[in-house]
Amino acid sequence: MRNDLSLKSRALTLIARLRQPLLDPAFWSRHRRHERDFTRECVPTFPVLMLLLLQKSLKSLQPHGHEFLDQLAAGPARPKLSGGALTHARAKLRASAFVELNTAAVLARVYGSEHAALVQRWQGHRLLGVDSSLVRLPSRAAVGKVFGWVQGANHHGPLERYPQARVSALGDLLNQMGLEGRLSASTGAETELAHQQLAKAGWAMVRYADDFVILCRSQAEAQNTLAAVRAWVSEAGLTLHPAKTRVVDASAPGGFDFLGYHFERGMKWPREKSLKQLKDRVRAKTPRLDGRSLAVIVTEVNRTLRGWYEYFQHSKANVFGPVDGYVRRRLRRLLQKRRGRTSQGLGAAHQRWPNAWFAH
């Protein structure tokens, strides 16, 4: 249950935290377009403009501008606000000012440990949502270079082209709190942008068919996520694989296997089962009594190796040397057998057929 007194105290604390940067000249200098902006005594000032924009939508700025200044004025007299003052002032302000306020003041205060108990949750979890829309941008060459151009058209034929972007907003649905907004090229996939935002919010899912990995930032968050997944799977009449389902610290020794790879301490390489399967396939293609020519055998082995190397090309560098060595030993054993000798592909066989011999 929420405590109204605690919520009021939190709101006052949040207002105080927002007030500090708005009155800080260093904050102004970071988020104005030019050094001379907001340096003269003009209406509105940097703090007044920020407060007005935080309270009103862009469509209601001009009608409410005078009303807002009346509320700020100490007496009957208030500063005069010309018709174009707000438009000119907004042009001097960078959007990064709101990003810094949201990240440093709002989100840190709302989701910090001090107020975590006051944040509404669903079954112990934050309920996040992502909404994405396409927006038309001003037809300027610099804008089109960044976001790309779209060719307009109607039933009469083609129209003028214009820049188009995708705006994506991530929000906490239960607490009605905006977490992040992004503006990207409209050619980007909507789901990919949503995954990026959710990953920044604290977790991300990597899935292929019925296998998936959920990435979390802490042990507690991972345990809570696992409990939620188990509950969801149970409601669907399914069960998680007991051996494959576990919480792992990917930055510590041990790691985990996923889609043929082993992930551990920021590195990845083929898991043991993947290496064994490759060796079994190479062994089956290089029996000592194979009567085919060496060129035919090598061609068939290379077909297997090429596909395996292509899939595991992102592994750490020291993976492929031992695999190459294993293949050469298999070929040396075959060549030795044709000379009427038995060998493991080492020693004299290695001297007779060195590594460079197989490169030709």
Side-chain angles (χ1 to χ4, degrees):
M1 297 292 294
R2 287 187 170 220
N3 186 295
D4 292 340
L5 184 60
S6 298
L7 286 174
K8 182 178 181 180
S9 175
R10 181 176 64 162
L12 293 175
T13 304
L14 182 59
I15 292 174
R17 288 190 58 128
L18 287 170
R19 185 179 185 180
Q20 292 174 2
L22 292 180
L23 298 177
D24 184 6
F27 182 83
W28 308 353
S29 64
R30 287 196 298 273
H31 304 295
R32 60 191 179 195
R33 297 193 176 276
H34 303 288
E35 292 185 2
R36 63 180 181 274
D37 292 339
F38 298 107
T39 56
R40 297 178 298 172
E41 290 295 332
C42 58
V43 179
T45 62
F46 185 96
V48 169
L49 177 64
M50 287 289 296
L51 287 173
L52 178 60
L53 292 176
L54 287 170
Q55 293 186 43
K56 306 295 180 181
S57 68
L58 293 179
K59 293 183 180 180
S60 64
L61 282 180
Q62 197 66 48
H64 293 91
H66 294 292
E67 176 187 346
F68 182 72
L69 290 176
D70 283 337
Q71 295 174 357
L72 293 178
R78 61 169 170 81
K80 293 183 179 180
L81 186 64
S82 63
L86 285 177
T87 301
H88 291 209
R90 291 209 318 265
K92 302 175 183 178
L93 183 65
R94 293 183 182 274
S96 56
F98 300 97
V99 175
E100 181 175 336
L101 280 181
N102 190 51
T103 304
V106 179
L107 298 184
R109 176 58 53 181
V110 172
Y111 293 108
S113 58
E114 183 180 351
H115 300 288
L118 299 175
V119 177
Q120 290 190 28
R121 294 181 180 271
W122 175 76
Q123 295 185 1
H125 303 278
R126 291 162 61 187
L127 186 60
L128 306 181
V130 181
D131 187 22
S132 175
S133 300
L134 295 176
V135 293
R136 179 169 176 169
L137 301 178
S139 297
R140 298 178 182 175
V143 177
K145 185 177 181 181
V146 174
F147 296 99
W149 296 86
V150 173
Q151 182 65 55
N154 59 19
H155 62 281
H156 294 296
L159 302 174
E160 64 175 350
R161 64 174 190 164
Y162 56 88
Q164 182 175 265
R166 180 177 297 281
V167 57
S168 182
L170 172 68
D172 184 324
L173 303 183
L174 293 180
N175 296 282
Q176 300 183 7
M177 177 70 65
L179 302 181
E180 185 195 46
R182 290 195 183 188
L183 193 65
S184 60
S186 60
T187 54
E190 182 177 1
T191 55
E192 179 63 26
L193 185 58
H195 287 161
Q196 293 176 9
Q197 291 183 287
L198 289 171
K200 186 175 180 181
W203 64 271
M205 175 183 286
V206 181
R207 182 180 67 87
Y208 181 82
D210 59 348
D211 293 329
F212 60 89
V213 172
I214 298 180
L215 309 178
C216 303
R217 293 183 177 180
S218 66
Q219 177 79 10
E221 186 175 300
Q223 293 290 356
N224 290 335
T225 303
L226 178 57
V229 171
R230 281 194 171 126
W232 174 78
V233 169
S234 177
E235 291 174 1
L238 304 173
T239 56
L240 296 174
H241 194 291
K244 294 182 178 180
T245 306
R246 57 198 178 100
V247 175
V248 176
D249 184 354
S251 63
F256 64 95
D257 296 338
F258 184 59
L259 300 181
Y261 273 94
H262 179 77
F263 296 84
E264 182 178 334
R265 290 172 290 179
M267 300 178 290
K268 54 182 177 289
W269 58 85
R271 61 176 181 171
E272 292 184 5
K273 186 177 180 180
S274 299
L275 285 171
K276 183 180 182 303
Q277 289 175 341
L278 174 66
K279 291 180 179 181
D280 290 343
R281 294 176 65 185
V282 171
R283 186 182 302 111
K285 295 176 183 294
T286 57
R288 295 191 206 185
L289 299 179
D290 196 328
R292 297 175 300 169
S293 69
L294 185 64
V296 172
I297 296 173
V298 168
T299 298
E300 189 170 339
V301 171
N302 279 341
R303 190 178 298 115
T304 298
L305 293 176
R306 192 173 295 112
W308 193 86
Y309 284 168
E310 180 70 21
Y311 184 79
F312 290 106
Q313 63 178 311
H314 304 292
S315 301
K316 61 179 184 177
N318 63 354
V319 166
F320 304 109
V323 174
D324 289 341
Y326 174 79
V327 174
R328 287 192 294 265
R329 289 195 300 274
R330 291 294 305 176
L331 294 175
R332 291 189 186 107
R333 288 170 57 134
L334 186 151
L335 292 170
Q336 280 284 67
K337 185 64 176 179
R338 292 181 178 182
R339 298 179 73 246
R341 299 180 181 181
T342 302
S343 170
Q344 297 297 319
L346 302 171
H350 187 279
Q351 294 178 2
R352 185 175 182 84
W353 298 285
N355 294 352
W357 187 86
F358 293 96
H360 298 294

